[in-house]
Coordinates of all heavy atoms in Angstrom, one line a residue:
G298 N -17.3 -22.6 -13.8 CA -16.5 -21.6 -13.1 C -15.3 -21.0 -13.8 O -14.3 -20.8 -13.3
L324 N -19.6 -20.3 -27.8 CA -21.0 -20.2 -28.1 C -21.7 -19.4 -27.1 O -22.5 -18.5 -27.4 CB -21.7 -21.5 -28.3 CG -21.2 -22.3 -29.5 CD1 -21.9 -23.7 -29.5 CD2 -21.5 -21.6 -30.8
L329 N -24.9 -17.8 -28.6 CA -25.4 -18.7 -29.7 C -25.9 -20.1 -29.2 O -26.2 -20.9 -30.0 CB -24.3 -18.9 -30.7 CG -24.1 -17.7 -31.7 CD1 -22.9 -18.0 -32.6 CD2 -25.3 -17.5 -32.6
R363 N -19.9 -5.8 -33.2 CA -18.7 -5.6 -32.4 C -18.0 -7.0 -32.0 O -16.9 -7.0 -31.7 CB -19.1 -4.9 -31.1 CG -19.8 -3.5 -31.5 CD -19.7 -2.6 -30.4 NE -18.4 -2.4 -29.9 CZ -18.1 -1.9 -28.6 NH1 -19.1 -1.6 -27.8 NH2 -16.9 -1.8 -28.2
F427 N -14.2 -21.3 -54.4 CA -12.9 -20.9 -53.7 C -12.3 -22.2 -53.2 O -12.9 -23.1 -52.8 CB -13.3 -20.0 -52.6 CG -13.7 -18.6 -53.0 CD1 -15.0 -18.4 -53.5 CD2 -12.8 -17.5 -52.9 CE1 -15.4 -17.1 -54.0 CE2 -13.3 -16.3 -53.3 CZ -14.5 -16.1 -53.8
G509 N -1.7 -18.9 -18.6 CA -0.4 -18.1 -18.5 C 0.0 -17.6 -19.8 O -0.6 -17.9 -20.9
N550 N -16.6 -38.1 -19.7 CA -17.9 -38.0 -20.2 C -18.6 -36.9 -19.2 O -18.8 -37.2 -18.1 CB -18.6 -39.4 -20.0 CG -20.1 -39.3 -20.3 OD1 -20.6 -38.2 -20.6 ND2 -20.7 -40.4 -20.2
F560 N -9.1 -35.1 -14.6 CA -8.0 -35.8 -15.3 C -7.4 -37.0 -14.6 O -6.6 -37.7 -15.2 CB -6.9 -34.7 -15.5 CG -5.8 -35.1 -16.5 CD1 -6.1 -35.6 -17.8 CD2 -4.4 -35.1 -16.1 CE1 -5.1 -36.0 -18.7 CE2 -3.4 -35.4 -17.0 CZ -3.8 -35.9 -18.3

Side-chain angles (χ1 to χ4, degrees):
L324 292 177
L329 281 174
R363 301 200 57 199
F427 290 76
N550 173 1
F560 189 53

